[in-house]
């Protein structure tokens, strides 16, 4: 695996990784990666469009790049992009490409919490952050909190 750190638009920032095997060669933009998983010596990379690449490489070689680009560490051997997740339910992560991935119970609980936190950065939650008391004061009959069903 080759990591391109010489991008002309932003010096010093890695934008692509290259995968080279006996059968094919490919350059992958970091933003297109939905999941990266290490299984033994095999590194599997799932893209947002559902394409899957496997090669003999180490996740440790691209770990810092994935973390720098907002990927979430599900477990020691797996990173996923929360941007590429469509939904999380019943121990499964479903990506926007339709690919479903089963996660173990403890890792699933941590992932679900991280995904909820991620989702709260989008409307309708993001405009209200830090304004909870103002909303309750403006609309006295309406509460704001877990007991009122505003959070998942």
């Amino acid at each position: 695996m080759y990591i391109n750190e010489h991008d002309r638009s932003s010096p010093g920032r890695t934008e692509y990784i290259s995968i080279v095997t006996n059968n094919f060669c490919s350059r992958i933009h970091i933003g297109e990666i939905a999941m990266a998983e290490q299984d033994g010596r095999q590194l599997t990379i799932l893209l947002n469009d559902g394409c899957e690449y496997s090669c003999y490489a180490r996740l440790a070689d691209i770990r810092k790049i994935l973390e720098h680009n907002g990927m979430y560490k599900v477990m020691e051997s797996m990173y996923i992009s929360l941007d590429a997740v469509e939904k999380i339910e019943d121990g499964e992560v479903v990506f926007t490409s339709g690919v479903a991935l089963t996660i173990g119970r403890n890792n699933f609980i941590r992932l679900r919490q991280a995904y909820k936190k991620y989702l709260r950065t989008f409307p309708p939650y993001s405009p209200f952050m830090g304004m909870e008391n103002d909303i309750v004061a403006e609309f006295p009959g309406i509460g704001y909190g877990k007991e009122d069903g505003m959070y998942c």
Side-chain angles (χ1 to χ4, degrees):
M1 177 179 307
Y2 175 72
I3 301 170
N4 178 7
E5 294 188 17
H6 304 292
D7 184 67
R8 294 181 187 145
S9 63
S10 57
R13 181 145 188 241
T14 303
E15 295 290 330
Y16 294 92
I17 60 170
S18 299
I19 295 183
V20 179
T21 68
N22 289 337
N23 299 330
F24 70 93
C25 302
S26 181
R27 182 178 76 157
I28 299 171
H29 190 274
I30 298 296
E32 294 178 15
I33 297 175
M35 180 204 60
E37 179 182 24
Q38 183 81 51
D39 186 20
R41 292 179 39 210
Q42 197 80 11
L43 176 65
T44 303
I45 296 177
L46 176 69
L47 301 183
N48 291 331
D49 62 3
C51 291
E52 191 173 294
Y53 295 97
S54 292
C55 64
Y56 290 105
R58 296 180 329 153
L59 186 61
D61 294 339
I62 60 171
R63 183 178 315 268
K64 288 182 182 178
I65 299 163
L66 297 176
E67 289 172 354
H68 178 71
N69 284 283
M71 302 273 293
Y72 177 75
K73 182 179 177 180
V74 178
M75 58 186 93
E76 193 62 36
S77 62
M78 181 187 296
Y79 281 82
I80 67 166
S81 170
L82 296 178
D83 289 332
V85 174
E86 182 175 320
K87 65 180 179 177
I88 295 179
E89 66 179 354
D90 300 329
E92 271 192 345
V93 177
V94 180
F95 293 98
T96 54
S97 63
V99 175
L101 177 70
T102 303
I103 305 281
R105 182 176 175 267
N106 292 335
N107 292 322
F108 177 76
I109 290 170
R110 283 194 304 270
L111 174 61
R112 185 179 59 205
Q113 290 170 347
Y115 191 58
K116 284 180 184 181
K117 183 177 179 181
Y118 167 78
L119 288 176
R120 288 189 183 115
T121 63
F122 297 101
Y125 300 106
S126 62
F128 298 125
M129 299 312 269
M131 298 174 43
E132 295 89 353
N133 294 333
D134 296 338
I135 292 170
V136 172
E138 189 172 341
F139 304 102
I142 299 174
Y144 190 84
K146 285 186 179 180
E147 63 279 351
D148 298 313
M150 290 297 288
Y151 294 109
C152 296

